Amino acid sequence: MLSIPHPDDLASARCILGILVFWSVGAVICAPWRVVNATFSPGVPVFEFYPRLSGLVGAGPCTWVRVDWACVSWAESRMLIWAVGLEPSKMSTTTVPELKQISREEAMRLGPGWSHSCHAMLYAANPGQLFGRIPMRFSVLMQMRFDGLLGFPGGFVDRRFWSLEDGLNRVLGLGLGGLRLTEADYLSSHLTEGPQRVVAHLYARQLTLEQLHAVEISAVHSRDHGLEVLGLVRVPLYTQKDRVGGFPNFLSNAFVSTAKYQLLFALKVLNMMPSEKLAEALASATEKQKKALEKLLPASS
C-alpha cells in the first residue's frame, strides 16, 4: 500500500512546490488554487485543486509545504492529487498510488448512493520495434475524450436497467463498433469517494495485433467518433534514452478521473510492465509536471 505522509510530516518537507495548507479536518489548500474535500482516507484524492480560482477557504494554523512528486488526474474542472511524496529517488512499486479495491460481488451490494462506471482496456502483444531498436512490447488502446482528457473506452452504467457488461457493451458500441466484452474480461473494481461516490470497474481483453487494428478502423466509423470520442490512441509502453520520451511523457498528460490509476494498475497486475519500470516512468512524469508547475507558481520566500 502507498504510505501517504502525515500532515505533520509534510510541514517539515524539503521544499519543491509552494502550496498553502490549512489543517482542520483533513486539509484545505489554496493560493494559487482553491482546494476542497481534501482528506487522507483510502480511495479519496489527497487534494482536489480548482485551478485559477482566487480566495481563501478553511481556518486554523497554516504552513507552506512543498512536495517532490504527485500523481495527478483530472475530473471535470478538478485536478485530483492521488498521492504525494518527498523523495522520488526512493520510489518503488509501493509508490504507485492505490485506491480501495473491492470484489465485483461487493460492488453489486453497494446501495443506490453509488454510481458505476465501466471501462475497457484493449491490448495486444506487439513484436515491433520503434526506430528498429526500441521494443514496443504491447499496444494498449485509450481514447481522447470530448473534454480533452484521456480515458479508456466506456462510461457510466445505470444499474437500474443494465448489468455491468450489458451497459459497458452498449457504450462500447457507440464508440468502438461491434466489440462485446463478457464477465470473463472483468479485471477490477475500485472505490472513489468525493463529490460523487463512484465504483470504477475495469475490464481487459487481449486481442491479436490485427484485431486491435480492426477495432481502431471500426472506431472511426462509430456514432460517437468526432463527438464524445475524438480518437483512439496507443499508449507508448517504452521509455527512450532521455528517460522522458515515451511512457513518462504519456503519463504527463491529463487523464479523466481514475483512468491513470487504472492504467498503472492493469499494467502491473497483467505483468505487462515490470513494477520498477512503472515506478521509474511515474517518477519521470511527475518530475516533468513539477517543473511545469514551478514555472507557473510564484517563488516562495
Side-chain angles (χ1 to χ4, degrees):
M1 284 290 292
L2 170 68
S3 176
I4 297 178
H6 187 276
D8 292 341
D9 297 328
L10 287 175
S12 60
R14 180 172 61 84
C15 292
I16 299 295
L17 298 178
I19 303 173
L20 187 60
V21 179
F22 291 78
W23 295 114
S24 53
V25 178
V28 179
I29 302 179
C30 49
W33 295 298
R34 183 171 63 182
V35 180
V36 297
N37 195 35
T39 74
F40 288 86
S41 303
V44 182
V46 181
F47 307 123
E48 292 188 350
F49 286 78
Y50 289 74
R52 297 177 178 83
L53 294 180
S54 60
L56 302 181
V57 280
C62 63
T63 182
W64 284 93
V65 300
R66 292 170 177 261
V67 298
D68 289 339
W69 61 271
C71 183
V72 179
S73 66
W74 286 85
E76 297 178 349
S77 62
R78 294 173 290 122
M79 181 167 70
L80 309 184
I81 308 296
W82 291 100
V84 293
L86 304 179
E87 297 183 58
S89 62
K90 294 184 179 180
M91 292 186 69
S92 66
T93 57
T94 59
T95 62
V96 175
E98 294 196 18
L99 302 180
K100 182 178 180 180
Q101 185 175 2
I102 62 174
S103 69
R104 188 180 187 279
E105 291 71 24
E106 290 172 320
M108 294 299 95
R109 292 196 296 266
L110 292 174
W114 288 86
S115 299
H116 294 259
S117 68
C118 295
H119 293 84
M121 189 182 89
L122 305 177
Y123 65 101
N126 188 339
Q129 291 189 328
L130 179 66
F131 307 131
R133 55 183 175 80
I134 302 176
M136 304 291 287
R137 304 179 62 246
F138 289 93
S139 290
V140 174
L141 292 186
M142 296 190 76
Q143 64 185 20
M144 178 60 69
R145 295 159 37 98
F146 63 94
D147 51 12
L149 302 177
L150 288 167
F152 287 109
F156 282 96
V157 172
D158 192 333
R159 289 280 296 129
R160 296 174 300 173
F161 307 110
W162 307 92
S163 69
L164 293 181
E165 291 75 31
D166 287 343
L168 173 60
N169 286 323
R170 178 177 176 272
V171 178
L172 292 181
L174 300 177
L176 294 182
L179 183 72
R180 294 188 62 84
L181 300 186
T182 69
E183 188 175 341
D185 300 306
Y186 170 83
L187 184 63
S188 64
S189 297
H190 291 89
L191 297 181
T192 66
E193 295 191 59
Q196 292 184 332
R197 304 171 79 191
V198 178
V199 190
H201 306 281
L202 183 64
Y203 292 72
R205 177 180 290 184
Q206 183 170 2
L207 307 174
T208 67
L209 197 56
E210 292 74 17
Q211 290 171 328
L212 195 77
H213 184 54
V215 170
E216 292 172 314
I217 295 174
S218 176
V220 176
H221 303 286
S222 67
R223 195 195 77 171
D224 281 350
H225 181 74
L227 298 171
E228 294 187 25
V229 179
L230 302 183
L232 294 177
V233 296
R234 294 191 184 190
V235 181
L237 296 182
Y238 52 82
T239 301
Q240 295 177 259
K241 286 185 176 181
D242 62 2
R243 301 180 63 186
V244 176
F247 194 46
N249 268 341
F250 186 83
L251 292 178
S252 299
N253 286 301
F255 294 76
V256 65
S257 189
T258 59
K260 184 174 184 177
Y261 170 78
Q262 288 177 317
L263 173 63
L264 296 171
F265 174 85
L267 293 177
K268 179 179 179 180
V269 300
L270 295 175
N271 296 315
M272 297 172 64
M273 181 177 289
S275 296
E276 62 273 14
K277 295 296 182 181
L278 279 174
E280 290 172 4
L282 183 59
S284 296
T286 50
E287 176 70 14
K288 178 180 177 180
Q289 291 172 327
K290 177 191 69 178
K291 291 180 179 179
L293 285 173
E294 284 179 330
K295 294 180 181 179
L296 298 176
L297 294 176
S300 62
S301 56

